[in-house]
Amino acid sequence: MKRFALILMLITGLLVTPLAFPPDAAAEPGSPDVYGRFIVDRSYYWDNNIQKPMDAAPFSKDGRVFVPVRYLANVLGLNENQINYNTTSQEVSLDSGFLEVGLKLNQKTLYVNGIPSVTMDVAPISENGRVFLPARYIAEAFGINVSYDELVKAVNIVGFMTGLDDGDIIPPVTDPITDPVTDPVTDPVTDPVTNNTGTHPWYEWGLGRTQSEYVDNDNRSYDWYVDQMNTGTYSSENCGPSVVTMASKWSDPSFNRTAEQARSTYLPTGGWWSIGLPGANAEVNNYLARYDIPYSGTRNSSDNADLTDDMMQDLREGSIIILCIDSSYISENRQPEERTDKPYSSGRGSGHFIIVKGFATVDSQTWFEVYDPANDNMRYSDGTPKCKNRYYSDDDIHSAMSIWWNNYLTVEQVDNRSVSRAAGQWSFMTAPALTRVISPVAYGGQVN
């Protein structure tokens, strides 16, 4: 068959037995362990407990979960050359070197080594230029179990791969303690449901299981979060006024002004607020300077520079951060109780201000803890606003900054003013520059 040239995706039947995943998985030479995990609407997956990115996210449709086959093949230990699609015959095959599993579009017969083996209850289909395959049957053909974790909308793929070429053996990992099928909770440290780190249920929130670092600079006894959709006539444009109000409330406990008052101060008849590095004549900067809120700025070294490590260090030192991003580059997650990714839709060019107030590194993935003002009265079951303490991945934040404004402002508490900053950063200035500079604007907050 011709080499597979499309992004294949799989239809998986929904099972209800959740599986717990150990932090490490053992592999025997010739019969490698397979531990894979795909979560609905997430553009990343786990391959032997390593989180990896995808260019397509699994999704749920008609009671089925669709998973990208190329990444499933990676979990199974197959490479690109072992996935083939014949555009003429519309046949798809996955070839381990020992087993070849074949299917054909719009037919329910599954072939193993060229012989009809199973009549499936669904047929492979083509949709939007992509081929979709039934994952459950393919996994079973290779001796792998597929289950569905309703708690986090996750497809779990666990077992021993049958007939993998010696040259494609998955390297063994070192900790064989926990068997994910027969003994899912032998190591209580990694139990994802009952033993989350500290008071944060990272697993239920969608972040993962094992926390390695957590920084949260919300050290105020009062609530300083602002939902911009409750800020009057120009609420859809008020992410800027809402963010500077939040930053000012956090910085100065005596600050008692509102986002509506911030709007009445600059562009009172509506319009997008702008931001710049210290000295810029931009609404965000002018407002912070007007009320003597200490802030500084960090400039990128190039348009695509990744400033997330700098942000983490500033957060460790007790500051909070104002970002102006293209919010469309933040992944979307509408699972009702999860807290990763944004809970709303936004199109390309959706300039938006947010506060970054901390970060959590869980299962080797860093998530920035944000106050996103675009809440629009959305609530979790416990009544908490959904955009308050939301977690955006460091990769998404980098992408969203790079495409819009790849700098950031750091806000400090009034009783902890910085007298000097590291190289590449500008100190707080009380007076804005006299000359207007071209600064990025943000109107964000439309919840589609």
Side-chain angles (χ1 to χ4, degrees):
M1 295 182 178
K2 293 174 63 178
R3 177 167 178 172
F4 178 67
L6 299 174
I7 297 176
L8 303 179
M9 304 189 77
L10 313 170
I11 309 169
T12 162
L14 302 186
L15 304 181
V16 294
T17 305
L19 293 176
F21 283 80
D24 298 298
E28 301 173 2
S31 299
D33 281 329
V34 173
Y35 297 94
R37 185 175 183 83
F38 298 86
I39 301 179
V40 171
D41 295 331
R42 301 295 179 78
S43 56
Y44 52 84
Y45 69 109
W46 282 267
D47 181 359
N48 278 309
N49 203 47
I50 299 174
Q51 185 171 295
K52 299 179 178 180
M54 296 187 289
D55 57 9
F59 60 92
S60 179
K61 179 181 180 182
D62 298 329
R64 304 277 183 175
V65 176
F66 295 78
V67 179
V69 68
R70 177 158 61 92
Y71 305 103
L72 174 64
N74 292 340
V75 169
L76 297 178
L78 304 179
N79 58 44
E80 294 285 339
N81 293 325
Q82 294 171 298
I83 311 170
N84 297 283
Y85 178 63
N86 188 311
T87 56
T88 302
S89 63
Q90 295 187 317
E91 293 174 337
V92 179
S93 73
L94 302 176
D95 188 351
S96 72
F98 179 78
L99 287 178
E100 181 181 18
V101 177
L103 306 96
K104 188 171 183 177
L105 287 184
N106 303 314
Q107 293 188 11
K108 295 183 179 181
T109 301
L110 179 145
Y111 295 83
V112 176
N113 292 337
I115 300 173
S117 175
V118 175
T119 300
M120 304 175 291
D121 59 1
V122 291
I125 61 173
S126 177
E127 185 174 306
N128 296 327
R130 299 188 179 194
V131 177
F132 297 83
L133 304 179
R136 178 168 65 89
Y137 294 101
I138 293 172
E140 289 175 353
F142 284 112
I144 307 299
N145 297 316
V146 177
S147 70
Y148 184 67
D149 188 338
E150 178 65 34
L151 180 66
V152 291
K153 310 299 182 187
V155 174
N156 301 319
I157 301 164
V158 181
F160 287 84
M161 183 65 175
T162 300
L164 194 65
D165 278 343
D166 288 344
D168 296 316
I169 291 175
I170 301 173
V173 284
T174 56
D175 186 0
I177 293 174
T178 306
D179 180 84
V181 178
T182 62
D183 190 18
V185 199
T186 56
D187 181 0
V189 174
T190 63
D191 175 20
V193 177
T194 62
N195 194 24
N196 291 285
T197 305
T199 59
H200 296 83
W202 300 126
Y203 183 77
E204 288 89 336
W205 289 356
L207 281 76
R209 299 180 296 279
T210 305
Q211 168 192 307
S212 56
E213 184 175 9
Y214 178 52
V215 172
D216 178 14
N217 291 331
D218 187 1
N219 57 355
R220 297 309 193 189
S221 60
Y222 50 87
D223 185 11
W224 49 281
Y225 177 73
V226 175
D227 183 342
Q228 74 175 79
M229 296 308 177
N230 298 322
T231 59
T233 304
Y234 303 105
S235 60
S236 64
E237 300 176 342
N238 276 355
C239 59
S242 297
V243 159
V244 295
T245 299
M246 286 192 279
S248 300
K249 281 178 170 291
W250 174 85
S251 177
D252 183 357
S254 67
F255 185 89
N256 58 8
R257 295 179 64 83
T258 65
E260 293 93 324
Q261 289 172 318
R263 166 58 67 182
S264 68
T265 304
Y266 298 112
L267 302 180
T269 59
W272 304 347
W273 274 34
S274 61
I275 190 171
L277 290 168
N281 185 14
E283 286 78 21
V284 169
N285 305 64
N286 291 347
Y287 194 84
L288 295 173
R290 183 186 186 99
Y291 292 99
D292 202 28
I293 302 300
Y295 78 97
S296 58
T298 298
R299 180 194 292 276
N300 69 84
S301 58
S302 65
D303 288 342
N304 199 42
D306 188 343
L307 296 181
T308 55
D309 285 343
D310 300 86
M311 291 168 56
M312 291 168 65
Q313 185 57 38
D314 282 329
L315 292 165
R316 291 187 186 103
E317 294 174 1
S319 301
I320 63 172
I321 291 168
I322 296 177
L323 296 184
C324 186
I325 61 173
D326 185 334
S327 61
S328 67
Y329 286 82
I330 303 298
S331 301
E332 184 178 339
N333 179 10
R334 292 182 182 267
Q335 296 301 324
E337 296 302 317
E338 291 191 9
R339 303 196 179 194
T340 57
D341 309 322
K342 67 180 189 289
Y344 58 87
S345 298
S346 54
R348 286 287 187 260
S350 298
H352 186 48
F353 289 111
I354 63 173
I355 293 279
V356 179
K357 58 184 283 291
F359 69 90
T361 301
V362 184
D363 289 354
S364 301
Q365 169 65 52
T366 296
W367 303 85
F368 285 107
E369 187 176 75
V370 308
Y371 272 13
D372 186 331
N375 189 68
D376 200 18
N377 296 306
M378 295 182 289
R379 302 273 173 174
Y380 296 110
S381 59
D382 64 3
T384 305
K386 285 197 171 184
C387 289
K388 179 181 180 181
N389 287 334
R390 200 76 182 185
Y391 294 88
Y392 296 165
S393 75
D394 56 348
D395 290 335
D396 281 1
I397 287 290
H398 170 49
S399 297
M401 292 173 65
S402 297
I403 204 69
W404 201 255
W405 190 54
N406 197 22
N407 306 296
Y408 64 87
L409 296 186
T410 304
V411 177
E412 300 172 9
Q413 296 176 3
V414 293
D415 53 355
N416 188 32
R417 294 175 186 267
S418 176
V419 295
S420 65
R421 302 294 293 180
Q425 297 181 321
W426 280 256
S427 299
F428 165 67
M429 298 180 65
T430 57
L434 297 177
T435 304
R436 179 75 175 184
V437 298
I438 298 176
S439 303
V441 295
Y443 57 87
Q446 288 88 339
V447 179
N448 301 322

